[in-house]
Amino acid sequence: MKKTAVLLYPQFSEYELSVALSILMQGGKPIITLGSNTEPIRGESGLNCIADLSVNEVELDDIDSLLLPGCMDISTLQLEESLLDFIRHLSAKGGMIASISSSPYLLAKAGVLKNKKYTVGLPLDGLKQLGCFELHNYLDELVVVQDGNIITARGRGFIPFGICFGHALELNFDENWY
């Protein structure tokens, strides 16, 4: 069975992953954690994690989906070309990409939000300043927007976000658990 890649980076938001990870586990979907490298990564609440592999080491043929948490300052990753390339390649292969909170910025930066409806946990003025978002495709939705292989949500919508991701991957799980 192909795996879901979980992208980790400094100050990632642990709680935004909680329901999605639980649903992946319930559905028997294997995961692999990825980072820019395999150095310890500290989440925003202080949890230290070590990625299984760097995005440069993973075999793209082993991955069919990607889960991206938000983080305190996502703009610190704008120059991480290896992360952006990984996102581009997975999207081009039709992989399901679920992105919450501030992480749709990475999707916009990678160019995979072009012609896609999305939401994001950043203020509209901030989106204008960043200059990589198609503002006409922005939806002011609190919870989840799915457009093709892209799922986006604001951080507060982490429960329906996880459920939507589980359904998109056609996993068998107890939705009422959450």
Side-chain angles (χ1 to χ4, degrees), residues 48-175:
N48 276 320
C49 297
I50 297 175
D52 296 316
L53 296 172
S54 77
V55 292
N56 294 323
E57 296 173 314
V58 69
E59 288 292 328
L60 205 53
D61 290 338
D62 295 342
I63 307 296
D64 66 0
S65 49
L66 175 62
L67 180 58
L68 294 101
C71 74
M72 295 296 281
D73 185 4
I74 199 79
S75 68
T76 61
L77 300 174
Q78 68 180 337
L79 301 177
E80 291 284 345
E81 202 57 40
S82 60
L83 297 179
L84 301 177
D85 283 343
F86 177 75
I87 292 167
R88 285 183 198 108
H89 289 127
L90 185 63
S91 180
K93 290 182 61 127
M96 182 59 64
I97 299 175
S99 178
I100 190 167
S101 185
S102 59
S103 68
Y105 172 67
L106 296 175
L107 303 185
K109 204 60 183 151
V112 302
L113 280 186
K114 290 206 182 301
N115 302 314
K116 299 274 189 182
K117 301 291 184 196
Y118 68 92
T119 192
V120 61
L122 298 169
L124 192 53
D125 287 345
L127 299 184
K128 291 175 186 174
Q129 288 176 352
L130 290 169
C132 57
F133 285 94
E134 291 181 339
L135 296 177
H136 63 278
N137 284 323
Y138 171 74
L139 297 176
D140 189 20
E141 298 291 330
L142 171 63
V143 184
V144 176
V145 173
Q146 182 172 357
D147 190 340
N149 68 321
I150 306 287
I151 298 169
T152 56
R154 294 188 187 181
R156 294 180 300 190
F158 70 100
I159 294 173
F161 170 75
I163 291 169
C164 182
F165 189 45
H167 286 306
L169 295 176
E170 299 179 354
L171 299 178
N172 184 22
F173 63 96
D174 181 3
E175 187 172 328

